[in-house]
Amino acid sequence: MAVISHLRTLRQAAWLGWQMESNWTRPWLFIIYSIVRPIAATLILVVMFLVIKQGVANDPLMFTYTYVGAVFFMFVAQVLLGATYVIMEDREHYQTLRQIYIAPISLHVYIIGRSLSKVLLTSLSAIISMAFGLLVLRLPIDLLRVDWPLFALSMLIGLGCILSIGIALAGITFLTAKHSTGINEGIGGVFYLFCGTLFPLTVLPPWGQSIGMAIPITYWLELVRRSLYPAGGIETISGLGEFSNPAILLLLAASALVFLGLSLLIFWFADRMARRAGKVDMTTTY
Amino acid sequence: MPPAVEVTALSRVFVGKSPVVALDNIDLNVEEGELFGLLGPNGAGKTTLIKILSTLLLPSKGSARVLGYDVAKETSKIRPLINMVSGGEISGYGLLTVRENLWMFSQFYGIPGKVANERIDALLHAFGLEDKADVKVRTISTGQRQRMNIIRGFVTDPRLIFLDEPTLGLDVQTSRAIRDYIRTWVRSQVGRTLLLTTHYMREAEELCDRVAIIDRGTILACDSPEGLKKRMNRASTFVLDTTHFDSSVISTIAGVKGVSAEAMREGLRIKLVVENESAISDIISSVGAGGGKVLGLNKSEPTLEDVFIKLVGRGLE
Ligand SMILES: Nc1ncnc2c1ncn2[C@@H]1O[C@H](COP(=O)(O)OP(=O)(O)OP(=O)(O)O)[C@@H](O)[C@H]1O
Ligand SMILES: [Mg+2]
């Protein structure tokens, strides 16, 4: 019974999210904004990195490492932003948050549903970026040799984990005003820096490496790279070489579970505080 | 059977630079099947109470139970059974049509598709919104959005519905349609309860089985409109017409329980509630002393407004 109700909520929320994403009077504007823009932002970062670390471009392994990291980090940036926007938009723009809030639905499911369109669009961006990487930049990835089961499994766990972090950030958004997008950018920045996104963990000081090793996104990116480039020796530069694939998978699953618990706890607290302070349906007036 | 609403020693304080006591230790019961009204001036605490009862806001102290469940701890039991609509509410997903908005909320409440469609059609008809059914919400007027939201409240067929100033800002005809619907809705099925807040004395008098008069976070009286009027027996009510003058002195005269002055084109219409009629001569002389002239004085039948003036000491605005 509860499952049916959650599925119904998920479907409605996903539909609503899609209506919002695709609510463009001109389809090409929608395509540019939703798909091309994240790609452009990602590529700019890659180029900046390459300029700083000259010589990397001549090192196909390092280049693949950076490129794949930048492309798949789009999921983190986009989904986290999307999840906080669910609360922000429902509260400030549509002013429907109080109606959603008192409806007999799971807010977790609602937020996930609303974020699914972001996952879909980011997947498109990622596919296009990877195609660009393979065809134009000549990344040494052989589609026939990709470990697809490992890739699928790590994407599943990774996206689940990102969505759960999104729920926590959405909860915190209950308490923050409209103009404070700082929270998700701050968290996103931490992940960007410490999870081996553009450069291997080994360039970080030991304390920085410890932070990275505590965040599931680190393992997720590692697994994505290893599965896409199984024979390439990515693990020799990532700093996680001592761990086998199953070990990394285990680390990913375990840390994702911890993050899930933490996220639910954060959401629960934030929700409680918002209801106590009367912030659920506040609108930020200037 | 538990009361639909059971509020015990409930307080709500908004902390901040200067804390506001929105509700101050109130007690209130609403029985199942009742059409209950909360009547009070701006800032009385009406919306705060509705927010607490609809699980949007936590109490600071005391307890509130809705349909037998605690609002703080048993929200998941309460939410499927209730709904809430605020007047002047312009909310809605502007990019969806009216029907899509209503449909989505009906699905959040698990209403079977066929039933939901039938209900949406019937309600759109009842509120004269059929021709806007398939129009995007961002293009409809404020009053039409408000009607859509009222439909959203009823489409889930709640056992208890909260309407916060449902007719605020609506034209006379629409307001009447809504009042008619409210009345029929409560009566047409056993066990339906409706709690509304209003500024409009007439609305409370005309609609409600019982009315609680609320001011500054406390409930001053709670009874049927007739019962409230009976309380006026010992006091008398007058309507005094004068030319313009500063009428604020009147409330300081001994024996005056309440004053409400309304500026008319030709002067002031002052509603008076006095404890004994001997105060009238003092009042009349204060008009002269204040530079005004008495144009007329009539004893009036007590209305709910007089009850309000007597209890609150002033009129609604
Ligand atoms: N979120 C909030 N933060 C601080 N104070 C608040 C908040 N909400 C309400 N108040 C205060 O609580 C008091 C009661 O407000 P409430 O909205 O319940 O009044 P009301 O009876 O609904 O008035 P109105 O007729 O104007 O709608 C007011 O003094 C108001 O300023
Ligand atoms: Mg109010």
Side-chain angles (χ1 to χ4, degrees):
Chain A
M1 202 48 221
V3 176
I4 293 175
S5 139
H6 288 332
L7 284 176
R8 197 169 39 219
T9 305
L10 192 71
R11 200 176 120 203
Q12 290 298 322
W15 177 77
L16 177 60
W18 180 251
Q19 295 300 314
M20 288 176 178
E21 290 289 354
S22 60
N23 181 36
W24 295 87
T25 38
R26 292 184 213 95
W28 55 268
L29 211 60
F30 162 65
I31 290 170
I32 288 178
Y33 184 85
S34 309
I35 300 171
V36 178
R37 205 190 57 150
I39 296 174
T42 302
L43 291 184
I44 286 170
L45 283 167
V46 173
V47 169
M48 270 164 51
F49 181 74
L50 293 180
V51 168
I52 297 167
K53 290 204 81 162
Q54 283 163 359
V56 169
N58 300 325
D59 176 355
L61 193 61
M62 192 59 216
F63 184 69
T64 308
Y65 182 98
T66 303
Y67 194 84
V68 172
V71 167
F72 282 82
F73 195 81
M74 277 195 293
F75 283 101
V76 179
Q78 292 293 307
V79 172
L80 294 193
L81 191 72
T84 51
Y85 262 71
V86 172
I87 301 301
M88 207 83 94
E89 286 181 328
D90 276 8
R91 189 179 64 200
E92 314 276 346
H93 184 59
Y94 301 109
Q95 300 182 15
T96 45
L97 187 59
R98 68 165 88 182
Q99 303 159 11
I100 297 290
Y101 190 85
I102 67 164
I105 58 172
S106 154
L107 279 176
H108 303 131
V109 175
Y110 177 75
I111 293 164
I112 291 173
R114 283 279 301 271
S115 307
L116 285 183
S117 51
K118 277 272 188 275
V119 173
L120 186 75
L121 290 174
T122 309
S123 301
L124 277 178
S125 298
I127 290 170
I128 296 172
S129 301
M130 287 311 292
F132 181 80
L134 291 182
L135 300 175
V136 181
L137 303 176
R138 302 266 163 215
L139 293 184
I141 291 175
D142 181 354
L143 287 180
L144 292 174
R145 296 182 60 188
V146 169
D147 186 345
W148 291 111
L150 182 64
F151 179 75
L153 193 60
S154 45
M155 283 306 286
L156 199 71
I157 303 178
L159 285 178
C161 178
I162 296 170
L163 282 169
S164 77
I165 298 170
I167 288 175
L169 292 188
I172 292 170
T173 310
F174 271 136
L175 303 169
T176 58
K178 194 181 195 168
H179 37 270
S180 61
T181 48
I183 176 77
N184 53 53
E185 276 166 13
I187 297 278
V190 167
F191 294 157
Y192 199 71
L193 217 61
F194 292 103
C195 295
T197 307
L198 290 191
F199 44 81
L201 282 183
T202 44
V203 309
L204 293 173
W207 60 266
Q209 294 186 26
S210 309
I211 293 178
M213 302 275 285
I215 303 175
I217 291 166
T218 306
Y219 304 114
W220 171 60
L221 288 175
E222 175 76 6
L223 274 185
V224 166
R225 288 187 184 108
R226 285 190 191 186
S227 60
L228 288 178
Y229 198 27
I234 284 278
E235 63 274 16
T236 58
I237 57 166
S238 67
L240 295 167
E242 60 193 284
F243 300 104
S244 65
N245 286 359
I248 297 271
L249 198 57
L250 205 69
L251 284 168
L252 171 62
S255 57
L257 222 58
V258 172
F259 264 59
L260 174 67
L262 274 178
S263 293
L264 294 180
L265 206 66
I266 290 172
F267 186 89
W268 185 85
F269 261 114
D271 173 25
R272 195 89 192 153
M273 274 169 71
R275 220 181 134 206
R276 178 156 313 179
K279 287 191 167 175
V280 173
D281 63 339
M282 68 170 180
T283 43
T284 315
T285 43
Y286 289 99
Chain B
M1 178 153 306
V5 172
E6 191 178 9
V7 167
T8 323
L10 181 73
S11 294
R12 173 66 218 200
V13 180
F14 288 104
V15 290
K17 271 168 247 144
S18 50
V20 180
V21 181
L23 292 173
D24 188 5
N25 199 32
I26 66 167
D27 295 292
L28 181 72
N29 270 19
V30 178
E31 299 304 325
E32 259 207 352
E34 262 192 310
L35 208 172
F36 192 94
L38 285 171
L39 181 64
N42 289 136
K46 306 181 294 293
T47 300
T48 304
L49 180 57
I50 292 233
K51 281 188 183 177
I52 289 175
L53 295 176
S54 57
T55 75
L56 208 53
L57 183 68
L58 283 173
S60 302
K61 241 191 282 168
S63 92
R65 302 183 78 81
V66 169
L67 299 164
Y69 302 112
D70 186 285
V71 291
K73 299 191 193 88
E74 294 171 297
T75 47
S76 60
K77 295 249 175 53
I78 295 174
R79 285 177 181 161
L81 307 175
I82 63 162
N83 211 335
M84 191 256 278
V85 182
S86 324
E89 198 172 312
I90 51 150
S91 63
Y93 292 106
L95 69 170
L96 303 183
T97 66
V98 170
R99 189 188 294 280
E100 285 169 340
N101 260 284
L102 295 169
W103 167 262
M104 196 175 70
F105 279 97
S106 76
Q107 293 314 291
F108 286 154
Y109 285 77
I111 313 292
K114 190 163 167 291
V115 180
N117 274 322
E118 282 167 10
R119 259 191 224 152
I120 290 170
D121 283 333
L123 282 160
L124 286 170
H125 177 74
F127 290 96
L129 217 54
E130 298 129 304
D131 54 331
K132 298 289 175 190
D134 299 308
V135 164
K136 293 247 192 287
V137 168
R138 64 163 169 259
T139 66
I140 64 176
S141 77
T142 317
Q144 288 163 342
R145 275 180 185 228
Q146 194 166 335
R147 272 185 273 170
M148 176 187 81
N149 274 304
I150 291 179
I151 297 176
R152 175 182 56 71
F154 286 109
V155 84
T156 66
D157 193 25
R159 262 173 70 191
L160 169 57
I161 189 167
F162 302 100
L163 302 177
D164 193 2
E165 308 198 31
T167 59
L168 185 74
L170 293 176
D171 62 50
V172 180
Q173 214 175 336
T174 310
S175 301
R176 187 176 311 129
I178 289 173
R179 283 197 288 269
D180 288 344
Y181 188 85
I182 286 174
R183 224 186 329 251
T184 321
W185 185 82
V186 176
R187 303 289 174 245
S188 61
Q189 207 167 302
V190 182
R192 282 175 169 173
T193 311
L194 192 147
L195 196 160
L196 62 84
T197 75
T198 181
H199 273 124
Y200 307 123
M201 213 61 77
R202 288 277 303 282
E203 191 163 281
E205 193 162 2
E206 185 187 320
L207 273 179
C208 299
D209 299 322
R210 282 197 305 149
V211 175
I213 293 180
I214 176 170
D215 186 40
R216 297 198 178 95
T218 55
I219 291 178
L220 301 172
C222 177
D223 204 341
S224 64
E226 294 70 37
L228 286 171
K229 282 187 261 177
K230 280 207 192 97
R231 299 181 182 204
M232 296 298 295
N233 279 353
R234 283 184 52 242
S236 310
T237 55
F238 290 89
V239 176
L240 174 66
D241 289 314
T242 67
T243 55
H244 285 289
F245 79 108
D246 179 12
S247 61
S248 60
V249 287
I250 295 180
S251 56
T252 63
I253 295 170
V256 174
K257 294 289 288 182
V259 185
S260 155
E262 195 183 343
M264 315 292 265
R265 190 143 41 97
E266 62 283 20
L268 293 177
R269 166 153 289 189
I270 304 172
K271 295 194 172 132
L272 293 165
V273 181
V274 294
E275 212 154 30
N276 53 62
E277 299 188 2
S278 62
I280 289 295
S281 60
D282 292 342
I283 292 168
I284 301 222
S285 32
S286 79
V287 175
K293 236 162 79 184
V294 174
L295 301 174
L297 176 68
N298 289 295
K299 197 159 193 291
S300 62
E301 280 301 306
T303 63
L304 205 53
E305 183 163 13
D306 297 317
V307 182
F308 191 89
I309 293 168
K310 180 186 165 196
L311 288 169
V312 179
R314 60 182 196 277
L316 268 176
E317 266 87 53

